[in-house]
């Protein structure tokens, strides 16, 4: 056994970390050239890990490096040598001694995530990327990089953000004859470009902070959001739920959100635009079928999800951009229509601030935006209407740095759909990543605020973290094809807030009720998997990673709280909510920001409460309604 | 300026300055940049508000190397360096037969005040479609001093309409006059329309009256009076006894004289007396011209003759005060490109009537400036020293004076056969006789000191000067 060689481009401590968490199966050849020739995916993990870490935001980067350095330091103290220099058995024992301390297990799980991501990617590359067939050519978009956009220009409306809300608002305004400019911080990625590149390479570009956006709190939540032309719709799972009637009724009755009462036709329009249909069974994949079988055995209500992916080929890459173009993200459906109506998209354009004229007759008025160009420098666009659709996490800081953050409730009222996932091991191969990524919805517990969705990702890319370290983890990774994964998200109380002006800081404290819901969700998912025939259930709980029976699961869940689960969160909403009460809602019932003329909120932040389902349709319908109200319709 | 005029605009002074900027532009479809120069004369109808926003008009020249050189560029500026952090320029010009719009703004930031105040990125548009992009820079080293020196805060005089409404507010012992004189260059005929409101000192009802007179080259002076008639307090000018003198229009008849004239003002107001004396009637009387020059078109008929006037030169003047002077002389001389207005008067007040005539002489120059700059200069000089002098007499009277490096001599001759003698009645019932002609001769000599007095301009008016001498 020899020490692990450092790969070019990878730091010594990260190399050590990767080697310790995921040891090689057998002794590698001494000669580096031979190692390369060996083609072992494992050898490339440190370099890949380095690039994963490099794409993360500074705090996460520092955290991972510090953790790796601490691990290395521990190894030095214990053995006199750094991890990378240790033979595999000694590394295993170092890690084992750490794993024996329960308090350190969650920390180890955190550093495992990027390592698994890197390993999963390299394994996939090694196995050969399936060449996806392009279903259809992308419809044309009028995109201009910000560096080529003039420094001074004018428009009738500026839309900040090209996600579900921004795209829909842009299309509505452009069709009404307005000269619309859509500003997008990310870049435009064509479907063909998705097919050409490995999933992880897309990951860093398509997600804000390399997907490592974290909501601070106890427990902290991973809160990934997209950043590209099309926003998060490029990287969501394509699941399209209509806003439930009871949610709409609550928005209208309790909050006085004007569009809620007439959202039906807008939801219809959004469904037509996205060609939403129930996912056919042919490409559903084993993961979905297992969920359906389990639900059937339990007599639970479950069905393939309604999705915006006509002709989906089950590439299972929704979360890094559909490589076949089946998923009708807004850059393939809504934005082309907006561009056809004259809207123009500026990419690589981060809005620094909304320009406000404080001395206009009748009060302060937004008159345009100042934008940071990708290549340095700024540009300004003057427009009498500014539509803010930067997403629930970015809209409040943008308003604050524009001097429009005066409302005390701006940034508060954050709902995020906390989610957790559970895997089940089956005797026969599942190969969950062959099929639809999010395939089946189990709505049995939806009335209790729990929505279970069979969600499988390529190994390492999902929110489920395989248990163990060292050889155990390696075995789990090699055995990943026998795992079926379920995810559950819960309808939460608005327990979070978005802080910051220039940098976003998300704070989220899980409410006790929601913690109970999450535990109930884990139990329900375990029950479903066992009913479907799972040999064991991987709970994702570091102290009790595997259970074999429902009784064991109940026993484990009786001893843990939601804080010990692996939590992630999706669908942030409500941070610039619209409603009737001027003291509670930063925006008026028609989505106009209070305290200034000429600012519309048209993204997830305008929703006054948790939509309780995947929110793309709700956001699109709300944005459409808000834009229509502005046009006096 | 009237109170109404002031409140209507909110600012009594405007702003004017010149700004030049240099830079480059890249036209769409070209692979190279062109040099640009923008020279603007910016005017605003209010004093620049550093903390607020000022809308201003701009005129000037746009030069783009090898493509455009348009001296008729025009547009507007939005000057708001602190409130909106923006100074926006929107200028339209013609280049190569194409109509283009330059739209750009300086984005003022306190972090980089100098750079942000001097750099103007802009986009060119043709019919709303982008045609190019560039940036201009204000050259601080060479441009700052001329830029700062060019700042002016001219008074907002308002249009001639501002001065047409009656000033009289009901006090007894006031007289107010609207009078118009013009010369038809085609026939040499002079025209005088005099509209007068008198509020007697004894408090009896005010009355309106007046007269019209025609001074033909061949034939005697014809005149006819109208009124007296009750004063109906019109809002926009003089109107009584079927005669009206309203902004832009003079109509009426007196005896066999009829007139219907359109008035087209040309030039800024000219205050013969100090401006303050018109705003605050502290002097016994004050005279001013709503427009230094006006053109008249329409018809005037007297007897069997009808004159068709088409843009003939003249002027309307306004007088408001307590009555006529003890002695006076008046001249309005249209010198072609310049206008000379002279009033020399001796007050009726007990002590003042012993003084020599106070001379108010105003020469409106081609560039719109007035010489001497202050009206008080010609009347009182420096505590009496250096004041202008007037020898009132008939048929010839003269005015001489020096201000700064210039001196002027005006000699007016009013031949008796071209002169009309009329009797004025003051509000207190006193009478005065005026001898007026709109066909006076005048010699005006302007000299400039340059080692010695050298002639600068000399005008000879042969029967086209308007003059009057009043005595008691």
């Amino acid at each position: 056994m020899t020490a692990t060689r450092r790969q070019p481009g990878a730091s010594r401590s990260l190399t050590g970390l990767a080697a310790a968490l995921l040891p090689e199966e057998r002794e590698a050849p001494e000669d580096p050239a031979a190692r390369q020739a060996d083609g072992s995916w494992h050898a490339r993990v440190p370099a890949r890990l380095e690039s994963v870490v490099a794409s993360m935001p500074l705090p996460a980067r520092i955290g991972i490096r510090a953790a790796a350095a601490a691990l290395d330091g521990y190894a030095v103290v214990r053995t006199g040598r750094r991890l990378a220099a240790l033979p595999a058995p000694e590394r295993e024992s170092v890690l084992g001694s750490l794993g024996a301390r329960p308090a350190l297990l969650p920390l180890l799980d955190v550093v495992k995530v990027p390592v698994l991501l890197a390993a999963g990617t390299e394994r996939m590359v090694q196995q050969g990327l399936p060449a996806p067939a392009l279903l259809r050519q992308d419809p044309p978009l009028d995109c201009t990089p910000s560096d080529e956009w003039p420094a001074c220009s004018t428009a009738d409306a500026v839309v900040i953000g090209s996600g579900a809300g921004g795209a829909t608002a842009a299309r509505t305004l452009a069709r009404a004859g307005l000269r619309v400019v859509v500003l997008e911080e990310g870049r435009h990625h064509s479907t063909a470009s998705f097919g050409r590149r490995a999933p992880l390479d897309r990951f860093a570009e398509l997600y804000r902070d390399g997907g490592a956006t974290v909501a601070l709190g106890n427990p902290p939540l991973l809160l990934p959001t997209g950043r590209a032309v099309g926003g998060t719709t490029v990287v969501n799972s394509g699941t399209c739920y209509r806003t439930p009637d009871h949610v709409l009724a609550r928005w209208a009755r309790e909050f006085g959100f004007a569009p809620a009462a007439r959202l039906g036709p807008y939801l219809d329009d959004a469904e037509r635009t996205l060609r939403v249909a129930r996912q056919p069974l042919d490409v559903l994949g084993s993961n979905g079928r297992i969920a359906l079988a389990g639900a059937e055995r339990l007599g639970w209500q479950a069905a393939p999800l309604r999705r915006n992916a006509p002709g989906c080929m089950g590439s299972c890459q929704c979360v890094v951009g559909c490589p076949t173009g089946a998923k009708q993200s807004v850059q393939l459906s809504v934005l082309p229509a907006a561009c056809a109506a004259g809207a123009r998209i500026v990419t690589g354009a981060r809005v620094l601030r909304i320009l406000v004229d404080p001395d206009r007759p009748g009060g302060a008025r937004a008159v345009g935006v100042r934008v940071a160009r990708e290549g340095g420098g700024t540009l300004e666009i003057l427009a009498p209407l500014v539509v803010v659709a930067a997403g629930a996490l970015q809209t409040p800081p943008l308003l604050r740095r524009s001097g429009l953050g005066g409302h005390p409730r701006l940034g508060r009222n954050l709902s995020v759909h906390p989610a957790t996932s559970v895997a089940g091991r089956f005797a026969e191969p599942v190969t969950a990543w062959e099929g639809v990524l999010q395939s089946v919805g189990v709505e049995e517990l939806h009335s209790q605020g729990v929505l279970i969705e069979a969600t499988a990702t390529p190994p390492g890319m999902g929110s489920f973290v395989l248990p163990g370290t060292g050889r155990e983890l390696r075995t789990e990774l090699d055995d990943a094809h026998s795992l079926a994964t379920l995810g559950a998200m819960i309808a939460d109380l608005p327990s979070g807030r978005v802080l910051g002006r220039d940098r976003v800081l998300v704070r989220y404290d899980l409410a006790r009720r929601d913690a109970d819901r999450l535990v109930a969700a884990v139990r329900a998912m375990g029950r479903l998997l066992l009913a479907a025939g799972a040999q064991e259930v991987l709970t994702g709980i570091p102290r009790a990673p595997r259970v074999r029976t429902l009784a064991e699961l109940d026993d484990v869940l009786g001893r843990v709280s939601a804080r010990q689960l692996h939590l992630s969160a999706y669908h942030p909403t409500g941070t610039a909510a619209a409603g009737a009460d001027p003291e509670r809602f930063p925006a008026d019932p028609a989505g106009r920001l209070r305290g200034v003329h000429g600012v519309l909120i048209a993204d997830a932040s305008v929703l006054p409460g948790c939509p309780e389902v995947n929110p793309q349709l709700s956001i699109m319908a709300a944005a459409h309604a808000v834009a229509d109200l502005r046009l006096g319709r | 300026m009237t109170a109404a005029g002031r409140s209507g605009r909110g600012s009594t002074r405007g702003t004017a300055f010149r700004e030049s900027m240099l830079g480059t532009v890249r036209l769409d479809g070209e692979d190279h940049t062109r040099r640009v120069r923008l020279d603007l004369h910016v005017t605003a109808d209010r004093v620049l508000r550093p903390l607020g926003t000022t809308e201003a008009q701009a005129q000037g020249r746009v030069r783009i190397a090898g493509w455009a050189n348009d001296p008729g560029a025009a547009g507007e500026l939005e000057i708001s360096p602190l409130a909106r952090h923006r100074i926006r320029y929107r200028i339209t010009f013609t280049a190569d037969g194409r109509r283009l719009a330059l739209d750009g703004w300086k984005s003022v930031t306190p972090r980089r005040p100098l750079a942000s105040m001097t750099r103007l990125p802009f986009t060119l548009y043709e019919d709303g479609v982008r045609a190019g992009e560039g940036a201009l820079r204000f050259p601080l080293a060479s441009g700052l001093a001329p830029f700062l020196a060019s700042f002016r805060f001219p008074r907002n005089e308002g249009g001639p309409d501002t001065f047409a409404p009656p000033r009289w507010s009901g006090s007894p012992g006031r007289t107010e006059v609207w009078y118009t004189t013009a010369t038809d260059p085609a026939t040499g005929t002079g025209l005088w329309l005099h509209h007068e409101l008198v509020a007697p000192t004894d408090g009896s009802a005010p009355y309106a009256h007046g007269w019209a007179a025609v001074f033909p080259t061949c034939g005697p002076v014809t005149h006819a009076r109208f009124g007296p008639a009750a004063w109906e307090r019109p809002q926009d000018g003089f109107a009584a006894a079927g005669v009206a003198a309203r902004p832009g229009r003079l109509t009426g008849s007196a005896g066999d004289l009829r007139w219907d004239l359109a008035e087209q003002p040309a030039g800024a107001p000219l205050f013969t007396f100090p401006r303050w004396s018109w705003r605050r009637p502290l002097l016994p009387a004050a005279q001013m011209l709503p427009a230094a020059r006006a053109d008249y078109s329409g018809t005037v008929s007297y007897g069997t003759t009808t004159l068709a006037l088409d843009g003939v030169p003249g002027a309307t003047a306004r007088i408001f005060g307590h009555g006529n002077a003890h002695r006076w002389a008046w001249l309005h001389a249209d010198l072609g490109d310049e206008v000379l207005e002279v009033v020399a008067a001796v007050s009726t007040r007990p002590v003042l009537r012993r003084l020599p005539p106070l001379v108010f002489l105003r020469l409106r120059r081609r560039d719109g400036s007035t010489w001497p700059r202050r009206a008080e200069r010609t009347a009182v000089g420096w505590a009496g020293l250096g004041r202008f002098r007037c020898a009132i007499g008939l048929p010839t009277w003269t005015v001489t004076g020096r201000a700064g490096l210039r001196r002027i001599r005006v000699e007016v001759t009013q031949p008796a056969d071209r002169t009309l003698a009329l009797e004025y009645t003051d509000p207190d019932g006193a009478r005065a006789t005026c001898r007026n002609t709109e066909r006076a001769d005048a010699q005006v000599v302007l000299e400039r000191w340059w080692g010695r007095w050298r002639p600068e301009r000399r005008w000879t008016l042969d029967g086209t000067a308007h003059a009057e001498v009043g005595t008691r």
Side-chain angles (χ1 to χ4, degrees):
Chain A
M1 288 277 175
T2 60
T4 299
R5 297 283 167 85
R6 183 148 68 104
Q7 289 294 301
S11 77
R12 192 182 292 270
S13 56
L14 284 183
T15 305
L17 178 72
L21 286 174
L22 274 179
E24 284 175 274
E25 265 179 37
R26 57 191 169 79
E27 193 175 331
E30 273 286 338
D31 176 24
R35 287 162 65 96
Q36 286 294 328
D38 182 34
S40 161
W41 59 268
H42 188 273
R44 294 190 301 270
V45 170
R48 178 68 76 171
L49 178 61
E50 189 72 41
S51 73
V52 170
V53 172
S55 71
M56 290 179 169
L58 185 67
R61 214 154 59 214
I62 292 173
I64 295 286
R65 289 196 188 283
L71 203 60
D72 236 6
Y74 179 73
V76 169
V77 169
R78 211 177 136 87
T79 66
R81 277 188 289 173
R82 300 181 68 164
L83 268 182
L86 285 178
E90 284 196 47
R91 276 203 297 263
E92 192 82 27
S93 88
V94 167
L95 225 55
S97 69
L98 279 177
R101 297 164 207 271
L104 289 178
L105 285 176
L107 191 67
L108 274 178
D109 271 5
V110 170
V111 297
K112 242 156 60 176
V113 171
V115 176
L116 283 174
L117 194 57
T121 300
E122 287 304 334
R123 237 167 66 117
M124 188 186 289
V125 171
Q126 167 123 339
Q127 285 162 359
L129 289 170
L134 214 55
L135 273 178
R136 53 187 89 87
Q137 287 298 318
D138 289 359
L141 286 181
D142 184 350
C143 287
T144 309
S146 57
D147 293 334
E148 294 168 22
W149 194 263
C152 292
S153 61
T154 56
D156 295 327
V158 168
V159 179
I160 304 168
S162 67
T168 310
R171 184 189 65 169
T172 309
L173 297 171
R175 282 182 171 171
L178 273 63
R179 290 181 301 136
V180 177
V181 176
V182 181
L183 300 170
E184 170 53 51
E185 184 179 355
R187 295 181 183 168
H188 175 236
H189 301 270
S190 67
T191 300
S193 79
F194 290 146
R196 283 195 296 268
R197 305 174 64 192
L200 189 67
D201 295 333
R202 285 130 69 182
F203 203 89
E205 283 205 359
L206 291 171
Y207 282 85
R208 188 174 290 283
D209 305 330
T213 310
V214 173
L216 299 179
N218 186 17
L221 303 174
L222 198 63
L223 187 52
T225 49
R227 186 182 61 178
V229 172
T232 305
T233 69
V234 180
V235 293
N236 71 4
S237 55
T239 302
C240 286
Y241 270 100
R242 291 173 72 94
T243 324
D245 288 342
H246 71 273
V247 171
L248 287 180
R250 181 160 165 260
W251 286 356
R253 194 183 59 244
E254 276 186 40
F255 306 135
F257 179 49
R262 50 180 205 147
L263 218 55
Y266 293 115
L267 289 167
D268 294 342
D269 178 76
E271 284 195 316
R272 268 196 307 276
T273 307
L274 301 179
R275 299 164 67 191
V276 174
R278 198 163 291 285
Q279 177 62 49
L281 289 169
D282 52 351
V283 292
L284 202 62
S286 307
N287 203 52
R289 279 194 282 275
I290 285 170
L292 284 176
E296 193 182 349
R297 278 179 208 149
L298 292 172
W300 283 6
Q301 189 188 338
L305 287 162
R306 287 174 61 77
R307 303 180 68 235
N308 60 359
C312 173
M313 297 164 81
S315 315
C316 203
Q317 293 184 17
C318 298
V319 293
V320 281
C322 179
T324 65
K327 186 176 74 175
Q328 295 296 291
S329 322
V330 293
Q331 94 276 19
L332 300 183
S333 51
V334 185
L335 286 171
C339 290
R344 305 192 64 190
I345 302 167
V346 187
T347 60
R350 175 177 158 80
V351 176
L352 295 174
R353 61 179 299 150
I354 298 169
L355 303 172
V356 179
D357 283 1
D359 61 341
R360 293 270 176 173
R365 170 169 282 282
V367 293
V369 289
R370 178 175 303 146
V371 176
R373 285 175 159 152
E374 207 170 18
T378 60
L379 63 90
E380 290 191 350
I381 302 176
L382 292 189
L385 175 62
V386 176
V387 180
V388 183
L393 302 188
Q394 298 294 324
T395 290
L398 169 63
L399 294 177
R400 283 193 198 111
R401 57 182 188 258
S402 307
L404 299 174
H407 197 284
R409 297 284 299 165
L410 182 77
R412 292 177 184 264
N413 191 45
L414 172 69
S415 292
V416 295
H417 283 161
T420 186
S421 52
V422 165
R425 190 183 312 283
F426 288 80
E428 63 281 8
V430 178
T431 327
W433 51 90
E434 287 175 6
V436 176
L437 184 134
Q438 194 165 67
S439 49
V440 167
V442 182
E443 295 170 23
E444 183 67 20
L445 304 176
H446 198 203
S447 58
Q448 299 162 40
V450 176
L451 181 59
I452 298 172
E453 291 171 333
T455 310
T457 57
M461 233 170 258
S463 55
F464 183 76
V465 182
L466 293 168
T469 56
R471 287 200 173 281
E472 182 189 0
L473 181 60
R474 177 65 197 254
T475 310
E476 287 287 358
L477 186 63
D478 291 341
D479 200 27
H481 63 273
S482 66
L483 294 180
T485 333
L486 297 181
M489 63 182 203
I490 61 153
D492 65 335
L493 294 171
S495 320
R497 62 188 290 199
V498 177
L499 300 158
R501 274 167 56 97
D502 300 314
R503 288 184 168 276
V504 181
L505 185 68
V506 185
R507 170 90 204 184
Y508 189 89
D509 290 302
L510 194 66
R512 182 180 294 272
R513 184 202 81 175
D514 297 333
D516 294 344
R517 280 187 175 180
L518 279 166
V519 174
V522 172
R523 183 178 189 280
M525 288 189 287
R527 201 174 154 202
L528 195 69
L529 287 166
L530 290 170
Q535 295 171 326
E536 63 176 8
V537 170
L538 307 188
T539 59
I541 300 166
R543 292 187 200 180
R546 297 177 187 83
V547 294
R548 293 189 157 266
T549 64
L550 193 57
E552 272 183 56
L553 179 62
D554 284 340
D555 180 46
V556 168
L557 292 178
R559 285 184 280 124
V560 301
S561 73
R563 306 193 197 295
Q564 284 151 289
L565 299 174
H566 280 295
L567 295 183
S568 50
Y570 307 92
H571 317 147
T573 55
T575 51
D581 184 350
E583 297 197 351
R584 274 180 74 193
F585 298 102
D588 75 1
R592 295 173 297 219
L593 187 69
R594 296 185 203 270
V596 65
H597 296 286
V599 178
L600 280 191
I601 312 287
D603 58 6
S605 48
V606 81
L607 304 181
C610 177
E612 304 189 7
V613 289
N614 303 52
Q616 183 176 350
L617 290 185
S618 308
I619 296 167
M620 288 176 65
H624 195 164
V626 162
D628 261 1
L629 282 170
R630 163 74 191 197
L631 294 168
R633 294 174 181 166
Chain B
M1 185 180 297
T2 61
R6 280 198 303 279
S7 65
R9 267 192 321 282
S11 179
T12 58
R13 283 182 181 272
T15 307
F17 63 88
R18 290 178 184 280
E19 184 177 18
S20 294
M21 283 181 281
L22 306 166
T24 55
V25 65
R26 184 188 293 272
L27 302 176
D28 286 354
E30 290 188 352
D31 57 354
H32 61 279
T33 57
R34 294 169 183 265
R35 291 169 62 80
V36 187
R37 183 183 168 109
L38 181 64
D39 298 288
L40 292 179
H41 179 230
V42 182
T43 53
D45 64 359
R46 64 181 313 149
V47 176
L48 281 188
R49 301 200 306 158
L51 298 176
T53 302
T54 312
E55 303 283 346
Q57 287 70 48
Q59 294 189 317
R61 181 186 285 262
V62 173
R63 276 175 275 203
I64 300 177
W67 192 51
N69 185 357
D70 181 7
E76 59 247 37
L77 262 69
E78 173 190 341
I79 306 168
S80 187
L82 295 177
R84 300 178 182 176
H85 300 285
R86 182 164 62 246
I87 305 173
R88 186 176 184 183
Y89 295 68
R90 276 175 291 185
I91 310 291
T92 51
F93 63 97
T94 306
D96 204 12
R98 296 154 65 183
R99 199 76 187 135
L100 288 134
L102 180 154
D103 188 1
W105 52 91
K106 299 171 181 169
S107 302
V108 181
T109 159
R111 274 186 286 180
R112 296 163 66 225
L114 216 56
S116 63
M117 290 273 280
T118 53
R119 187 167 186 278
L120 171 66
F122 66 86
T123 307
L124 290 183
Y125 296 95
E126 184 178 11
D127 294 331
V129 179
R130 188 186 127 148
E133 193 191 358
L136 286 158
R137 195 176 286 281
F138 178 81
L140 265 180
S142 61
L144 186 61
F147 171 69
L148 292 177
S150 74
F151 265 84
R152 298 285 182 275
F153 301 95
R155 219 175 271 277
N156 279 328
E157 306 291 11
D161 303 1
T162 318
F163 302 99
R167 304 277 320 268
W168 184 63
S169 57
S171 339
R174 293 289 189 280
T175 181
E176 183 164 6
V177 178
W178 294 252
Y179 74 88
T180 301
T181 57
T183 300
D184 178 16
T187 60
T189 307
L191 175 67
W192 180 24
L193 302 173
H194 183 99
H195 317 78
E196 185 171 326
L197 162 69
V198 180
T201 314
D202 59 11
S204 55
Y207 60 91
H209 72 117
W211 55 84
V214 177
F215 301 78
T217 42
C218 46
V221 177
T222 307
H223 89 283
R225 286 181 178 267
F226 57 86
W231 181 241
E232 302 292 346
R233 294 177 181 265
Q235 294 296 307
D236 53 351
F238 179 91
V243 176
R246 293 199 163 94
R249 184 103 193 213
L250 302 158
T251 56
S253 63
D256 66 345
L257 262 158
R258 300 177 176 281
W259 63 96
D260 185 353
L261 298 172
E263 184 181 50
Q264 181 65 45
L270 181 62
F271 289 88
T272 319
F273 285 59
R275 190 188 308 266
W276 53 261
S277 71
W278 183 257
R279 276 162 53 193
R280 295 190 179 73
L282 301 173
L283 295 183
Q287 186 253 22
M288 61 85 59
L289 280 67
R293 177 190 282 129
D295 297 330
Y296 296 88
S297 304
T299 55
V300 177
S301 58
Y302 59 99
T304 58
T305 311
T306 298
L307 282 175
L309 307 181
D310 182 16
V312 307
T316 291
R318 300 273 282 113
I319 298 172
F320 183 60
H322 294 264
N324 292 297
H326 187 62
R327 283 189 300 141
W328 72 91
W330 163 77
L331 170 74
H332 173 80
D334 194 320
L335 307 175
D337 49 359
E338 305 190 355
V339 173
L340 178 68
E341 187 83 9
V342 180
V343 172
V346 178
S347 172
T348 51
R349 304 269 165 91
V351 179
L352 298 178
R353 78 171 63 149
R354 295 175 181 281
L355 296 176
L358 292 180
V359 179
F360 295 98
L361 179 145
R362 317 293 287 141
L363 180 66
R364 172 60 55 83
R365 312 300 299 266
R366 251 175 308 183
D367 61 2
S369 64
T370 309
W371 180 85
R373 232 149 50 92
R374 293 182 307 114
E376 297 89 335
R377 171 67 186 82
T378 59
V380 295
W382 302 101
L385 292 174
R387 64 186 173 79
F388 283 36
R389 293 168 192 279
C390 178
I392 298 179
L394 278 173
T396 298
W397 53 276
T398 56
V399 174
T400 55
R402 180 167 74 84
L405 292 177
R406 288 194 171 82
R407 73 179 184 188
I408 195 167
R409 178 180 167 79
V410 183
E411 187 179 311
V412 182
T413 307
Q414 298 182 218
D417 59 331
R418 303 184 209 155
T419 301
L420 172 66
L422 280 174
E423 196 162 70
Y424 282 8
T425 307
D426 285 336
D428 60 2
R431 289 172 189 276
T433 305
C434 83
R435 289 177 173 77
N436 183 301
T437 177
E438 313 310 334
R439 292 190 54 233
D441 300 331
Q443 280 265 359
V444 181
V445 180
L446 185 67
E447 292 174 304
R448 198 177 195 287
W449 174 260
W450 191 250
R452 59 182 171 82
W453 286 110
R454 296 163 193 259
E456 185 179 5
R457 295 293 297 269
R458 173 189 291 274
W459 295 274
T460 303
L461 280 74
D462 191 6
T464 59
H466 308 162
E468 175 175 299
V469 170
T471 53
R472 292 185 190 254

